[in-house]
């Protein structure tokens, strides 16, 4: 009897250890993969993977809940996403982690709260996200083990710079013009970035892999009429605010830019001829766009991981250096 | 015979028992059906009233307009 109890404890210990080790040893993809969300029949979305040419689409979540906003961990071993699987009501998304094959799905935080639009710190230890109702949310920074979280600003849709120094986010009241601001990841002080003078219709900030540029969308009009949504398009600006460049012509309603790990291409969402939202890819050299998804279900970006650009080391923000990003490029 | 049956039904519905078991639920059912039918015809105003900042915040088929509302596409 005594030995049986000992054996059971041993078995339990081994199982717990295996669960912990297995979670750590999740395998990153061997080849480049884009993670995105795709709508389905029941008006909920699932997380999918596909190759950078749009081939080999694979459903990772296959769940009746609404799963959105997937982002790769810096090493490609985990995918962070938002889901309403706990409350199953529209807008009740919270954050979840899973392995790149869709297994080992688990909550980031034990206690439910509205959390959405996550982004990883470059060392993979912290995350930033929006919490609250759309339009009146706050930016939070938390640890990936779900043990701590701290409110750092009012706004939406944070994206962490590759050198770890700043978090870009969208600041401004709902229905009002907005600004993209930079929040210092150490001091939590923030400053307006773009537009530098008057707020305007900007959103969807996205850092280049080197952290030297920011892509975003802008409807470059003083007043916003209902029919002006087609004028929203993608721009790139240098981190110092110079070199503003329009990437795609107005008139196609292009949103949600996301950089390729090489920094030579951008993914984006736009409406196709059948009035469905698809994922496209544009080469920043040739300016040629390619449609990657099709069909009647809407496709939402999304993040691109390439093992060739992932390094198992982290930047040191206290050294105030950007050499890290250049190392990655080389 | 037919008139007799109609009379009996009318009397039953007019009675306390008929009001509780038939007339009340029937009225409630017709009212509920009317509301559901009206909602179907008008569309789904709820989705358009949802506040949003990006397309993730809107259901499939709705675009997040920069005025902060989900607009059917």
């Amino acid at each position: 009897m005594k030995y049986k109890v000992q054996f059971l404890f041993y078995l339990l210990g081994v199982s717990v250890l295996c669960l912990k080790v297995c979670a750590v040893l999740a395998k990153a993809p061997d080849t480049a993969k884009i993670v995105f969300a795709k709508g389905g029949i029941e008006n909920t979305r699932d997380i999918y993977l596909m190759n950078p040419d749009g081939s080999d689409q694979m459903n990772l979540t296959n769940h009746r809940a609404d799963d959105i906003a997937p982002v790769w961990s810096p090493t490609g071993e985990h995918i962070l996403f938002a889901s309403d699987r706990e409350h199953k009501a529209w807008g009740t998304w919270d954050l979840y982690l899973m392995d790149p094959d869709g297994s080992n799905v688990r909550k980031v935080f034990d206690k439910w709260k509205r959390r959405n639009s996550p982004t990883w710190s470059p060392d993979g230890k912290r995350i930033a996200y929006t919490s609250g109702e759309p339009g009146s949310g706050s930016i939070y920074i938390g640890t990936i083990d779900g043990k701590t979280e701290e409110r750092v600003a009012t706004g939406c849709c944070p994206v962490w710079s590759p050198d770890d120094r700043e978090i870009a986010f969208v600041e401004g009241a709902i229905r009002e013009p907005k600004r993209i601001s930079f929040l210092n990841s150490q001091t939590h002080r923030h400053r307006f970035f773009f537009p530098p003078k008057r707020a305007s219709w900007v959103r969807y900030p996205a850092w280049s892999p080197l952290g030297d540029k920011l892509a975003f969308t802008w409807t470059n009009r003083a007043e916003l009429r209902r029919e002006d949504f087609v004028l929203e398009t993608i721009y790139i600006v240098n981190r110092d605010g110079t070199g503003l460049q329009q990437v795609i012509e107005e008139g196609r309603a292009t949103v949600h830019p996301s950089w390729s790990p090489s920094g030579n291409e951008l993914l984006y969402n736009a409406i196709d001829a059948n009035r469905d939202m698809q994922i496209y890819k544009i080469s920043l050299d040739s300016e040629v766009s390619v449609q990657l998804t099709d069909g009647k279900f809407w496709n939402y970006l999304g993040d691109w991981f390439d093992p060739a650009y992932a390094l198992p080391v982290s930047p040191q923000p206290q050294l105030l250096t950007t050499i890290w990003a250049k190392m990655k490029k080389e | 015979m037919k008139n007799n049956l109609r009379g009996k039904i009318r009397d039953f519905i007019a009675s306390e028992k008929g009001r509780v078991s038939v007339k009340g639920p029937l009225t409630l059912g017709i009212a509920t059906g009317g509301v559901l039918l009206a909602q179907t015809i008008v569309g789904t105003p709820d989705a358009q009233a949802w506040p949003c900042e990006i397309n993730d915040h809107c259901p499939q088929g709705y675009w997040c307009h920069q005025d902060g509302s989900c607009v059917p596409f």
Side-chain angles (χ1 to χ4, degrees), chain A:
Chain A
M1 180 66 188
K2 188 183 166 191
Y3 290 114
K4 269 187 184 173
V5 171
Q6 276 181 347
F7 179 70
L8 280 174
F9 269 109
Y10 170 75
L11 212 62
L12 192 70
V14 170
S15 307
V16 169
L17 189 69
C18 180
L19 276 176
K20 291 281 179 192
V21 170
C22 291
V24 170
L25 294 181
K27 194 173 178 303
D30 297 329
T31 57
K33 294 284 178 189
I34 294 166
V35 65
F36 65 105
K38 182 191 271 293
I41 296 167
E42 291 181 359
N43 214 15
T44 60
R45 293 161 282 189
D46 274 314
I47 308 296
Y48 280 69
L49 284 188
M50 68 177 170
N51 292 331
D53 62 359
S55 64
D56 285 343
Q57 291 191 12
M58 185 173 82
N59 188 342
L60 295 183
T61 46
N62 208 9
H63 195 283
R64 283 167 60 193
D66 192 40
D67 301 327
I68 54 169
V71 277
W72 286 107
S73 68
T75 56
E77 289 166 313
H78 307 286
I79 295 168
L80 180 62
F81 66 103
S83 175
D84 65 359
R85 55 188 67 194
E86 187 163 339
H87 286 267
K88 297 180 181 65
W90 187 261
T92 59
W93 307 286
D94 197 359
L95 301 181
Y96 291 78
L97 275 168
M98 67 178 164
D99 293 352
D101 61 359
S103 66
N104 200 15
V105 177
R106 66 269 191 200
K107 284 186 74 176
V108 174
F109 296 94
D110 287 337
K111 196 174 173 188
W112 176 86
K113 200 161 83 172
R114 286 176 201 270
R115 299 180 181 93
N116 195 358
S117 304
T119 179
W120 292 83
S121 67
D123 66 4
K125 291 176 183 166
R126 294 187 294 166
I127 53 174
Y129 48 89
T130 312
S131 180
E133 298 272 354
S136 55
S138 296
I139 308 291
Y140 280 70
I141 293 177
T143 47
I144 194 61
D145 60 9
K147 287 182 179 162
T148 62
E149 63 174 343
E150 182 185 3
R151 185 186 173 281
V152 291
T154 301
C156 168
C157 313
V159 277
W160 212 305
S161 70
D163 62 8
D164 201 15
R165 285 165 50 202
E166 293 177 302
I167 295 168
F169 69 102
V170 179
E171 193 169 15
I174 195 163
R175 298 182 181 86
E176 297 293 329
K178 296 179 174 51
R179 277 193 173 105
I180 292 171
S181 292
F182 288 168
L183 178 118
N184 186 301
S185 64
Q186 301 292 313
T187 64
H188 300 169
R189 286 190 187 147
H190 57 97
R191 60 185 170 98
F192 293 140
F193 172 65
F194 190 89
K197 289 180 182 166
R198 286 183 60 186
S200 189
W201 305 103
V202 292
R203 56 180 176 173
Y204 293 107
W207 289 106
S208 66
L210 291 181
D212 57 343
K213 294 175 194 295
L214 195 79
F216 61 97
T217 69
W218 187 16
T219 304
N220 188 6
R221 296 291 186 280
E223 298 294 324
L224 186 72
R225 296 170 304 169
R226 191 35 82 99
E227 61 271 27
D228 284 344
F229 73 93
V230 293
L231 302 177
E232 185 172 12
T233 193
I234 295 168
Y235 292 77
I236 293 174
V237 66
N238 292 329
R239 190 166 181 165
D240 62 6
T242 63
L244 181 67
Q245 171 197 352
Q246 185 178 329
V247 178
I248 297 168
E249 74 280 8
E250 286 181 345
R252 288 190 54 210
T254 52
V255 294
H256 207 150
S258 178
W259 294 80
S260 68
S262 68
N264 298 329
E265 294 170 298
L266 272 182
L267 300 173
Y268 62 92
N269 275 134
I271 298 294
D272 69 7
N274 298 317
R275 302 174 73 81
D276 296 313
M277 193 168 77
Q278 306 296 352
I279 295 173
Y280 296 78
K281 179 172 70 176
I282 185 169
S283 161
L284 296 176
D285 301 324
S286 67
E287 298 181 8
V288 172
S289 270
V290 182
Q291 185 172 341
L292 300 184
T293 59
D294 55 18
K296 65 174 182 171
F297 296 122
W298 284 35
N299 294 279
Y300 301 76
L301 279 167
D303 194 18
W304 185 336
F305 173 77
D306 189 336
Y309 290 87
L311 285 176
V313 291
S314 305
Q316 300 294 314
Q318 65 272 24
L319 300 178
L320 294 178
T321 174
T322 54
I323 293 170
W324 151 252
K326 285 175 185 161
M327 275 171 58
K328 275 179 81 177
K329 176 78 174 174
E330 286 155 12

Side-chain angles (χ1 to χ4, degrees), chain B residues 40-65:
Chain B
T40 309
I41 293 166
V42 170
T44 47
D46 287 345
Q48 294 175 54
W50 287 328
C52 67
E53 285 158 315
I54 52 175
N55 282 331
D56 280 352
H57 299 157
C58 300
Q60 182 176 213
Y62 286 78
W63 186 265
C64 178
H65 197 279

